[in-house]
Each structure stands twice: as C-alpha cells, then as structure tokens.
Short mmCIF file of all heavy atoms in Angstrom, two decimals:
data_model
loop_
_atom_site.label_atom_id
_atom_site.label_comp_id
_atom_site.label_asym_id
_atom_site.label_seq_id
_atom_site.Cartn_x
_atom_site.Cartn_y
_atom_site.Cartn_z
N TYR V 30 0.83 -1.21 0.00
CA TYR V 30 0.00 0.00 0.00
C TYR V 30 0.87 1.26 0.00
O TYR V 30 0.61 2.20 -0.75
CB TYR V 30 -0.92 -0.03 1.22
CG TYR V 30 -1.87 1.14 1.32
CD1 TYR V 30 -2.55 1.60 0.21
CD2 TYR V 30 -2.13 1.76 2.54
CE1 TYR V 30 -3.46 2.66 0.30
CE2 TYR V 30 -3.03 2.81 2.65
CZ TYR V 30 -3.69 3.26 1.52
OH TYR V 30 -4.57 4.31 1.61
N LEU V 31 1.90 1.27 0.82
CA LEU V 31 2.81 2.43 0.86
C LEU V 31 3.54 2.59 -0.47
O LEU V 31 3.71 3.71 -0.97
CB LEU V 31 3.81 2.27 2.00
CG LEU V 31 3.26 2.42 3.42
CD1 LEU V 31 4.36 2.16 4.44
CD2 LEU V 31 2.67 3.81 3.62
N LEU V 32 3.99 1.48 -1.05
CA LEU V 32 4.69 1.54 -2.33
C LEU V 32 3.76 2.05 -3.43
O LEU V 32 4.16 2.85 -4.28
CB LEU V 32 5.24 0.16 -2.70
CG LEU V 32 6.36 -0.37 -1.81
CD1 LEU V 32 6.73 -1.80 -2.22
CD2 LEU V 32 7.60 0.53 -1.90
N LEU V 33 2.52 1.58 -3.42
CA LEU V 33 1.55 2.05 -4.41
C LEU V 33 1.24 3.53 -4.22
O LEU V 33 1.04 4.26 -5.20
CB LEU V 33 0.26 1.23 -4.31
CG LEU V 33 0.33 -0.20 -4.86
CD1 LEU V 33 -0.90 -0.99 -4.47
CD2 LEU V 33 0.49 -0.19 -6.39
N TYR V 34 1.23 3.97 -2.97
CA TYR V 34 0.97 5.38 -2.69
C TYR V 34 2.07 6.26 -3.28
O TYR V 34 1.81 7.31 -3.86
CB TYR V 34 0.86 5.60 -1.18
CG TYR V 34 0.29 6.94 -0.80
CD1 TYR V 34 -1.07 7.19 -0.91
CD2 TYR V 34 1.11 7.96 -0.32
CE1 TYR V 34 -1.61 8.42 -0.55
CE2 TYR V 34 0.58 9.19 0.04
CZ TYR V 34 -0.77 9.41 -0.08
OH TYR V 34 -1.30 10.63 0.26
N VAL V 35 3.32 5.81 -3.14
CA VAL V 35 4.44 6.54 -3.75
C VAL V 35 4.33 6.49 -5.27
O VAL V 35 4.53 7.50 -5.95
CB VAL V 35 5.79 5.95 -3.28
CG1 VAL V 35 6.95 6.60 -4.04
CG2 VAL V 35 5.97 6.15 -1.78
N PHE V 36 4.00 5.30 -5.79
CA PHE V 36 3.85 5.17 -7.25
C PHE V 36 2.78 6.11 -7.79
O PHE V 36 2.97 6.73 -8.85
CB PHE V 36 3.49 3.72 -7.61
CG PHE V 36 3.06 3.55 -9.03
CD1 PHE V 36 3.99 3.53 -10.06
CD2 PHE V 36 1.71 3.45 -9.37
CE1 PHE V 36 3.60 3.39 -11.38
CE2 PHE V 36 1.30 3.32 -10.69
CZ PHE V 36 2.26 3.28 -11.70
N VAL V 37 1.67 6.22 -7.08
CA VAL V 37 0.58 7.10 -7.51
C VAL V 37 1.09 8.54 -7.65
O VAL V 37 0.76 9.24 -8.62
CB VAL V 37 -0.59 7.04 -6.49
CG1 VAL V 37 -1.52 8.22 -6.67
CG2 VAL V 37 -1.35 5.73 -6.63
N ASN V 38 1.89 8.99 -6.69
CA ASN V 38 2.43 10.34 -6.76
C ASN V 38 3.42 10.50 -7.92
O ASN V 38 3.42 11.52 -8.60
CB ASN V 38 3.11 10.69 -5.43
CG ASN V 38 2.13 11.10 -4.37
OD1 ASN V 38 1.76 12.26 -4.25
ND2 ASN V 38 1.67 10.13 -3.58
N ILE V 39 4.24 9.48 -8.14
CA ILE V 39 5.17 9.52 -9.27
C ILE V 39 4.40 9.59 -10.59
O ILE V 39 4.72 10.38 -11.48
CB ILE V 39 6.09 8.29 -9.26
CG1 ILE V 39 7.04 8.34 -8.05
CG2 ILE V 39 6.90 8.19 -10.56
CD1 ILE V 39 7.86 7.09 -7.86
N TRP V 40 3.36 8.76 -10.71
CA TRP V 40 2.57 8.73 -11.94
C TRP V 40 1.86 10.06 -12.18
O TRP V 40 1.84 10.58 -13.30
CB TRP V 40 1.55 7.60 -11.91
CG TRP V 40 0.85 7.45 -13.23
CD1 TRP V 40 -0.33 8.03 -13.61
CD2 TRP V 40 1.30 6.69 -14.35
NE1 TRP V 40 -0.64 7.68 -14.89
CE2 TRP V 40 0.34 6.85 -15.38
CE3 TRP V 40 2.42 5.88 -14.58
CZ2 TRP V 40 0.47 6.23 -16.62
CZ3 TRP V 40 2.55 5.25 -15.81
CH2 TRP V 40 1.58 5.44 -16.81
N THR V 41 1.29 10.62 -11.11
CA THR V 41 0.57 11.89 -11.23
C THR V 41 1.51 12.98 -11.72
O THR V 41 1.12 13.82 -12.55
CB THR V 41 -0.04 12.29 -9.88
OG1 THR V 41 -0.92 11.24 -9.45
CG2 THR V 41 -0.83 13.59 -9.99
N ILE V 42 2.72 12.98 -11.24
CA ILE V 42 3.72 13.94 -11.71
C ILE V 42 4.12 13.64 -13.15
O ILE V 42 4.25 14.55 -13.97
CB ILE V 42 4.94 13.94 -10.77
CG1 ILE V 42 4.57 14.59 -9.43
CG2 ILE V 42 6.13 14.67 -11.41
CD1 ILE V 42 5.61 14.44 -8.35
N SER V 43 4.26 12.36 -13.47
CA SER V 43 4.75 11.99 -14.81
C SER V 43 3.79 12.37 -15.92
O SER V 43 4.23 12.68 -17.03
CB SER V 43 5.03 10.48 -14.86
OG SER V 43 3.82 9.73 -14.97
N ILE V 44 2.48 12.38 -15.66
CA ILE V 44 1.54 12.73 -16.73
C ILE V 44 1.43 14.25 -16.90
O ILE V 44 0.68 14.73 -17.75
CB ILE V 44 0.15 12.10 -16.52
CG1 ILE V 44 -0.50 12.56 -15.22
CG2 ILE V 44 0.24 10.59 -16.60
CD1 ILE V 44 -1.92 12.06 -15.03
N HIS V 45 2.19 14.98 -16.09
CA HIS V 45 2.27 16.44 -16.24
C HIS V 45 3.69 16.88 -16.61
O HIS V 45 3.99 18.07 -16.56
CB HIS V 45 1.86 17.14 -14.94
CG HIS V 45 0.43 16.94 -14.55
ND1 HIS V 45 0.00 15.86 -13.81
CD2 HIS V 45 -0.68 17.69 -14.80
CE1 HIS V 45 -1.31 15.95 -13.62
NE2 HIS V 45 -1.75 17.04 -14.20
N ASP V 46 4.56 15.94 -16.99
CA ASP V 46 5.98 16.29 -17.13
C ASP V 46 6.41 16.72 -18.54
O ASP V 46 7.56 17.04 -18.76
CB ASP V 46 6.87 15.14 -16.65
CG ASP V 46 6.79 13.89 -17.53
OD1 ASP V 46 6.19 13.94 -18.63
OD2 ASP V 46 7.33 12.84 -17.11
N GLY V 47 5.47 16.73 -19.49
CA GLY V 47 5.80 17.21 -20.82
C GLY V 47 6.69 16.28 -21.63
O GLY V 47 7.15 16.65 -22.72
N ASP V 48 6.93 15.07 -21.13
CA ASP V 48 7.69 14.08 -21.89
C ASP V 48 6.68 13.20 -22.62
O ASP V 48 6.07 12.32 -22.04
CB ASP V 48 8.56 13.24 -20.95
CG ASP V 48 9.48 12.28 -21.71
OD1 ASP V 48 9.28 12.10 -22.94
OD2 ASP V 48 10.39 11.71 -21.08
N TYR V 49 6.50 13.46 -23.90
CA TYR V 49 5.43 12.83 -24.66
C TYR V 49 5.82 11.48 -25.28
O TYR V 49 5.02 10.88 -26.00
CB TYR V 49 4.96 13.77 -25.77
CG TYR V 49 4.52 15.13 -25.27
CD1 TYR V 49 4.82 16.29 -25.98
CD2 TYR V 49 3.82 15.25 -24.08
CE1 TYR V 49 4.42 17.54 -25.53
CE2 TYR V 49 3.41 16.49 -23.61
CZ TYR V 49 3.72 17.63 -24.33
OH TYR V 49 3.32 18.86 -23.87
N ARG V 50 7.01 11.02 -24.98
CA ARG V 50 7.44 9.75 -25.56
C ARG V 50 6.70 8.58 -24.91
O ARG V 50 6.63 8.48 -23.69
CB ARG V 50 8.94 9.57 -25.36
CG ARG V 50 9.79 10.58 -26.12
CD ARG V 50 11.24 10.48 -25.73
NE ARG V 50 11.43 10.83 -24.32
CZ ARG V 50 12.61 10.77 -23.69
NH1 ARG V 50 13.69 10.37 -24.35
NH2 ARG V 50 12.70 11.11 -22.42
N VAL V 51 6.12 7.74 -25.74
CA VAL V 51 5.41 6.55 -25.28
C VAL V 51 5.80 5.40 -26.21
O VAL V 51 5.75 5.55 -27.43
CB VAL V 51 3.87 6.73 -25.34
CG1 VAL V 51 3.17 5.48 -24.82
CG2 VAL V 51 3.45 7.95 -24.55
N PRO V 52 6.22 4.24 -25.67
CA PRO V 52 6.50 3.10 -26.55
C PRO V 52 5.29 2.82 -27.43
O PRO V 52 4.15 2.81 -26.96
CB PRO V 52 6.75 1.95 -25.56
CG PRO V 52 7.22 2.63 -24.30
CD PRO V 52 6.46 3.92 -24.25
N GLY V 53 5.56 2.61 -28.71
CA GLY V 53 4.48 2.48 -29.69
C GLY V 53 3.39 1.51 -29.31
O GLY V 53 2.20 1.80 -29.47
N PHE V 54 3.78 0.35 -28.77
CA PHE V 54 2.78 -0.67 -28.47
C PHE V 54 1.92 -0.31 -27.25
O PHE V 54 0.90 -0.94 -26.99
CB PHE V 54 3.46 -2.03 -28.26
CG PHE V 54 4.29 -2.13 -26.99
CD1 PHE V 54 3.78 -2.72 -25.85
CD2 PHE V 54 5.58 -1.63 -26.97
CE1 PHE V 54 4.53 -2.81 -24.70
CE2 PHE V 54 6.35 -1.72 -25.82
CZ PHE V 54 5.82 -2.31 -24.68
N LEU V 55 2.33 0.71 -26.48
CA LEU V 55 1.57 1.13 -25.31
C LEU V 55 0.72 2.38 -25.56
O LEU V 55 -0.11 2.74 -24.72
CB LEU V 55 2.52 1.41 -24.13
CG LEU V 55 3.27 0.22 -23.55
CD1 LEU V 55 4.21 0.68 -22.46
CD2 LEU V 55 2.30 -0.83 -23.01
N THR V 56 0.92 3.02 -26.70
CA THR V 56 0.26 4.29 -26.97
C THR V 56 -1.25 4.22 -26.83
O THR V 56 -1.88 5.12 -26.27
CB THR V 56 0.60 4.78 -28.40
OG1 THR V 56 2.01 4.92 -28.52
CG2 THR V 56 -0.07 6.12 -28.69
N GLY V 57 -1.84 3.15 -27.31
CA GLY V 57 -3.29 3.05 -27.29
C GLY V 57 -3.86 2.54 -25.98
O GLY V 57 -5.08 2.56 -25.79
N ALA V 58 -2.99 2.11 -25.04
CA ALA V 58 -3.48 1.51 -23.81
C ALA V 58 -3.13 2.32 -22.55
O ALA V 58 -3.89 2.31 -21.59
CB ALA V 58 -2.91 0.09 -23.66
N VAL V 59 -1.99 3.00 -22.58
CA VAL V 59 -1.52 3.70 -21.38
C VAL V 59 -1.74 5.20 -21.53
O VAL V 59 -1.41 5.80 -22.56
CB VAL V 59 -0.02 3.42 -21.14
CG1 VAL V 59 0.50 4.25 -19.98
CG2 VAL V 59 0.19 1.93 -20.85
N ASN V 60 -2.31 5.80 -20.50
CA ASN V 60 -2.58 7.24 -20.50
C ASN V 60 -1.33 7.97 -20.01
O ASN V 60 -1.11 8.12 -18.81
CB ASN V 60 -3.77 7.53 -19.58
CG ASN V 60 -4.13 9.01 -19.57
OD1 ASN V 60 -4.57 9.56 -20.57
ND2 ASN V 60 -3.94 9.66 -18.42
N GLY V 61 -0.50 8.42 -20.95
CA GLY V 61 0.74 9.09 -20.59
C GLY V 61 0.62 10.60 -20.63
O GLY V 61 -0.47 11.17 -20.72
N SER V 62 1.78 11.25 -20.57
CA SER V 62 1.81 12.71 -20.55
C SER V 62 1.21 13.31 -21.81
O SER V 62 0.53 14.34 -21.75
CB SER V 62 3.25 13.19 -20.38
OG SER V 62 3.31 14.59 -20.32
N ALA V 63 1.43 12.68 -22.96
CA ALA V 63 0.87 13.20 -24.21
C ALA V 63 -0.66 13.17 -24.17
O ALA V 63 -1.32 14.12 -24.61
CB ALA V 63 1.39 12.38 -25.39
N HIS V 64 -1.21 12.09 -23.64
CA HIS V 64 -2.67 11.98 -23.52
C HIS V 64 -3.21 13.04 -22.57
O HIS V 64 -4.20 13.72 -22.87
CB HIS V 64 -3.07 10.60 -23.00
CG HIS V 64 -2.65 9.45 -23.86
ND1 HIS V 64 -1.33 9.03 -23.95
CD2 HIS V 64 -3.36 8.61 -24.66
CE1 HIS V 64 -1.25 7.99 -24.76
NE2 HIS V 64 -2.47 7.72 -25.20
N HIS V 65 -2.55 13.17 -21.42
CA HIS V 65 -3.07 14.07 -20.40
C HIS V 65 -2.90 15.54 -20.78
O HIS V 65 -3.72 16.39 -20.40
CB HIS V 65 -2.40 13.80 -19.05
CG HIS V 65 -3.11 14.44 -17.90
ND1 HIS V 65 -4.35 14.03 -17.48
CD2 HIS V 65 -2.77 15.50 -17.11
CE1 HIS V 65 -4.74 14.79 -16.47
NE2 HIS V 65 -3.81 15.70 -16.21
N THR V 66 -1.86 15.84 -21.54
CA THR V 66 -1.69 17.21 -22.02
C THR V 66 -2.85 17.60 -22.93
O THR V 66 -3.36 18.72 -22.86
CB THR V 66 -0.35 17.38 -22.75
OG1 THR V 66 0.72 17.17 -21.83
CG2 THR V 66 -0.23 18.78 -23.35
N ASP V 67 -3.30 16.66 -23.75
CA ASP V 67 -4.48 16.93 -24.58
C ASP V 67 -5.72 17.15 -23.73
O ASP V 67 -6.61 17.93 -24.10
CB ASP V 67 -4.72 15.77 -25.56
CG ASP V 67 -3.95 15.96 -26.87
OD1 ASP V 67 -3.11 16.87 -26.94
OD2 ASP V 67 -4.20 15.19 -27.81
N HIS V 68 -5.78 16.49 -22.58
CA HIS V 68 -6.91 16.75 -21.67
C HIS V 68 -6.88 18.21 -21.19
O HIS V 68 -7.92 18.87 -21.14
CB HIS V 68 -6.86 15.81 -20.47
CG HIS V 68 -7.91 16.13 -19.44
ND1 HIS V 68 -9.24 15.87 -19.64
CD2 HIS V 68 -7.82 16.74 -18.23
CE1 HIS V 68 -9.93 16.29 -18.59
NE2 HIS V 68 -9.09 16.83 -17.72
N HIS V 69 -5.70 18.70 -20.85
CA HIS V 69 -5.59 20.09 -20.41
C HIS V 69 -5.91 21.07 -21.54
O HIS V 69 -6.50 22.12 -21.31
CB HIS V 69 -4.17 20.36 -19.88
CG HIS V 69 -3.97 19.94 -18.47
ND1 HIS V 69 -3.92 20.82 -17.42
CD2 HIS V 69 -3.80 18.70 -17.93
CE1 HIS V 69 -3.73 20.16 -16.29
NE2 HIS V 69 -3.65 18.86 -16.57
N LEU V 70 -5.53 20.70 -22.76
CA LEU V 70 -5.72 21.61 -23.89
C LEU V 70 -7.13 21.55 -24.47
O LEU V 70 -7.69 22.58 -24.85
CB LEU V 70 -4.71 21.27 -24.99
CG LEU V 70 -3.26 21.67 -24.74
CD1 LEU V 70 -2.35 21.07 -25.79
CD2 LEU V 70 -3.12 23.19 -24.72
N PHE V 71 -7.71 20.36 -24.53
CA PHE V 71 -8.99 20.17 -25.24
C PHE V 71 -10.15 19.80 -24.33
O PHE V 71 -11.26 19.58 -24.81
CB PHE V 71 -8.82 19.13 -26.35
CG PHE V 71 -7.72 19.49 -27.33
CD1 PHE V 71 -6.56 18.73 -27.40
CD2 PHE V 71 -7.84 20.60 -28.15
CE1 PHE V 71 -5.55 19.06 -28.29
CE2 PHE V 71 -6.84 20.95 -29.03
CZ PHE V 71 -5.68 20.18 -29.11
N PHE V 72 -9.87 19.64 -23.03
CA PHE V 72 -10.90 19.65 -22.00
C PHE V 72 -11.73 18.37 -21.88
O PHE V 72 -11.84 17.81 -20.79
CB PHE V 72 -11.83 20.86 -22.24
CG PHE V 72 -12.84 21.10 -21.16
CD1 PHE V 72 -12.45 21.68 -19.96
CD2 PHE V 72 -14.16 20.75 -21.33
CE1 PHE V 72 -13.38 21.91 -18.95
CE2 PHE V 72 -15.09 20.98 -20.33
CZ PHE V 72 -14.70 21.56 -19.13
N ASP V 73 -12.36 17.91 -22.93
CA ASP V 73 -13.36 16.84 -22.83
C ASP V 73 -12.82 15.45 -23.20
O ASP V 73 -13.61 14.55 -23.51
CB ASP V 73 -14.56 17.14 -23.74
CG ASP V 73 -15.40 18.29 -23.20
OD1 ASP V 73 -15.51 18.41 -21.97
OD2 ASP V 73 -15.94 19.07 -24.01
N TYR V 74 -11.53 15.28 -23.16
CA TYR V 74 -10.93 14.01 -23.59
C TYR V 74 -9.93 13.51 -22.55
O TYR V 74 -9.39 14.27 -21.75
CB TYR V 74 -10.21 14.18 -24.93
CG TYR V 74 -11.09 14.72 -26.03
CD1 TYR V 74 -11.11 16.08 -26.33
CD2 TYR V 74 -11.93 13.88 -26.76
CE1 TYR V 74 -11.92 16.59 -27.33
CE2 TYR V 74 -12.75 14.37 -27.77
CZ TYR V 74 -12.74 15.73 -28.05
OH TYR V 74 -13.55 16.21 -29.03
N ASN V 75 -9.68 12.19 -22.59
CA ASN V 75 -8.60 11.56 -21.82
C ASN V 75 -8.69 11.88 -20.33
O ASN V 75 -7.78 12.45 -19.74
CB ASN V 75 -7.24 11.98 -22.40
CG ASN V 75 -7.08 11.57 -23.85
OD1 ASN V 75 -7.86 10.77 -24.37
ND2 ASN V 75 -6.08 12.11 -24.50
#
C-alpha cells in the first residue's frame, strides 16, 4: 500500500511532465503525458 501510494504520486507527476514519448505498443493503452496534455488543452478528452 505504501509503495503504491508513492507510485501514484510519481505517476501523477509523470503525466504532467511534458515528456510525450510513449512506446508504440503502449500508446493506445496507457494514458501518458501526451494523452493528459491533450486533456488540459482540449478539455473533454482523456
């Protein structure tokens, strides 16, 4: 639980870090920084 709590904070920071690189096979499954940046820009997505 403690490890997951730290991971949650790392992940929350990572989707705001402006590093849009995502391994190709994960692009459609994992919500990364590129996905979340579009949420900030376009509001109703991701």
